[in-house]
Amino acid sequence: MGFLSAEEKGLVNGLWGKVNVDEVGGEALGRLLVVYPWTQRFFQSFGDLSSADAIMSNSKVKAHGKKVLNSFSDGLKNIDDLKGAFAKLSELHCDKLHVDPENFRLLGNVLVCVLAHHFGHDFNPQVQAAFQKVVAGVANALAHKYH
Amino acid sequence: MVLSAADKSNVKACWGKIGSHAGEYGAEALERTFCSFPTTKTYFPHFDLSHGSAQVKAHGQKVADALTQAVAHMDDLPTAMSALSDLHAYKLRVDPVNFKFLSHCLLVTLACHHPAEFTPAVHASLDKFFSAVSTVLTSKYR
């Protein structure tokens, strides 16, 4: 068995197929900045982040969220080699962006909350568990090249 | 980290909406915790943890009732939760990391059942509240 069992892959891909990646990206990044305001430290150039409403409607937040989640989505296609898939991005986040990997864990959990919010009962405990593995795997892969 | 007036108001309003479902949500949050974070099961070797377990239902109700008490006493959590704080410090000794897992699963459960209430601002307030409760419950650990 690889990183996810066949059943878990089915659950993840089944749900992900219904996700509007662009929209969910903006929502997840926005909520990260609202719920954990210290994460705003990476986005000083994004303009108005002064309130929850300002953050959620900020066009730079939406654009960046879209970018981040499309990258995550690409990574899902290489679920059995996340470290390979995210190697370059890992180097970038360490050497250029200087992002503490704890932030990947925070974003991963916010993404899980957004999926729960969108899918309600369909986001049952088994689906959540599979996604928790995925977000943990992606966070670890993004942290893998740190030095 | 301090609960603002807005946080307290958000939490009270959201918890009020939950009403009599609190026990059910407590049980669901526990089930989600055991599923997603299997290490948490180590604290319940004496429980039947299968889906629909009566023990998990009862425990979920217990957790929900304690949270309802906490919501009613947000201005002085340390006093209101003192007995539970002692229990967790001296008897249960649940490693602090696990409070984050349960808090996260409580958020997920609420997001699933109350999408209209689970706005970004309320999400933030709830996360702060669960964090404050967790801090009080682990405050006497050492």
Side-chain angles (χ1 to χ4, degrees):
Chain A
M1 180 181 106
F3 174 63
L4 295 181
S5 70
E7 194 191 337
E8 286 167 334
K9 280 181 192 175
L11 290 175
V12 169
N13 291 326
L15 196 92
W16 200 253
K18 303 181 215 167
V19 168
N20 179 328
V21 175
D22 294 346
E23 230 175 69
V24 166
E27 175 87 14
L29 185 65
R31 281 181 184 253
L32 179 75
L33 299 175
V34 170
V35 180
Y36 308 108
W38 56 91
T39 57
Q40 293 171 24
R41 70 190 299 282
F42 300 108
F43 304 105
Q44 318 260 34
S45 64
F46 271 29
D48 187 5
L49 300 178
S50 60
S51 68
D53 286 339
I55 290 170
M56 299 311 289
S57 57
N58 182 306
S59 59
K60 285 186 171 175
V61 171
K62 288 184 191 184
H64 195 67
K66 183 175 158 173
K67 199 180 183 182
V68 167
L69 210 67
N70 272 291
S71 178
F72 179 91
S73 197
D74 288 341
L76 284 191
K77 298 174 189 155
N78 293 286
I79 197 81
D80 286 318
D81 182 22
L82 290 173
K83 292 190 161 100
F86 287 104
K88 286 243 143 53
L89 276 175
S90 180
E91 285 171 7
L92 179 79
H93 281 77
C94 174
D95 300 333
K96 294 267 149 47
L97 304 177
H98 311 295
V99 176
D100 177 350
E102 181 58 25
N103 291 287
F104 310 142
R105 287 166 197 117
L106 289 178
L107 181 59
N109 279 335
V110 170
L111 177 60
V112 166
C113 286
V114 172
L115 294 175
H117 191 224
H118 280 231
F119 291 104
H121 298 115
D122 285 349
F123 196 71
N124 64 38
Q126 287 68 37
V127 173
Q128 179 189 350
F131 267 98
Q132 296 290 169
K133 279 191 174 181
V134 171
V135 300
V138 171
N140 288 339
L142 280 170
H144 188 65
K145 294 283 191 180
Y146 272 60
H147 59 94
Chain B
M1 188 210 48
V2 169
L3 292 173
S4 68
D7 290 325
K8 291 178 191 177
S9 160
N10 285 340
V11 171
K12 279 195 153 89
C14 186
W15 206 258
K17 269 256 148 65
I18 288 166
S20 57
H21 291 285
E24 179 201 319
Y25 297 166
E28 182 178 326
L30 282 171
E31 186 184 358
R32 286 180 180 278
T33 305
F34 297 141
C35 252
S36 281
F37 308 105
T39 52
T40 57
K41 295 190 290 186
T42 57
Y43 293 95
F44 298 92
H46 53 301
F47 265 33
D48 161 22
L49 296 179
S50 59
H51 180 68
S53 150
Q55 285 175 306
V56 173
K57 274 198 175 103
H59 200 66
Q61 186 68 60
K62 229 175 182 173
V63 169
D65 290 343
L67 287 171
T68 300
Q69 275 303 290
V71 171
H73 296 96
M74 275 187 289
D75 290 328
D76 190 6
L77 287 176
T79 306
M81 309 202 80
S82 181
L84 273 177
S85 179
D86 289 342
L87 182 75
H88 283 79
Y90 306 124
K91 184 147 180 275
L92 304 176
R93 293 174 290 190
V94 173
D95 190 282
V97 74
N98 296 286
F99 293 91
K100 286 192 180 180
F101 296 146
L102 178 59
S103 296
H104 171 66
C105 289
L106 280 162
L107 287 178
V108 169
T109 302
L110 293 176
C112 279
H113 290 275
H114 293 272
E117 275 68 45
F118 198 73
T119 62
V122 170
H123 175 172
S125 298
L126 285 168
D127 193 73
K128 281 173 83 173
F129 170 67
F130 293 141
S131 181
V133 169
S134 302
T135 297
V136 169
L137 290 178
T138 56
S139 61
K140 299 178 194 173
Y141 272 37
R142 55 177 173 172

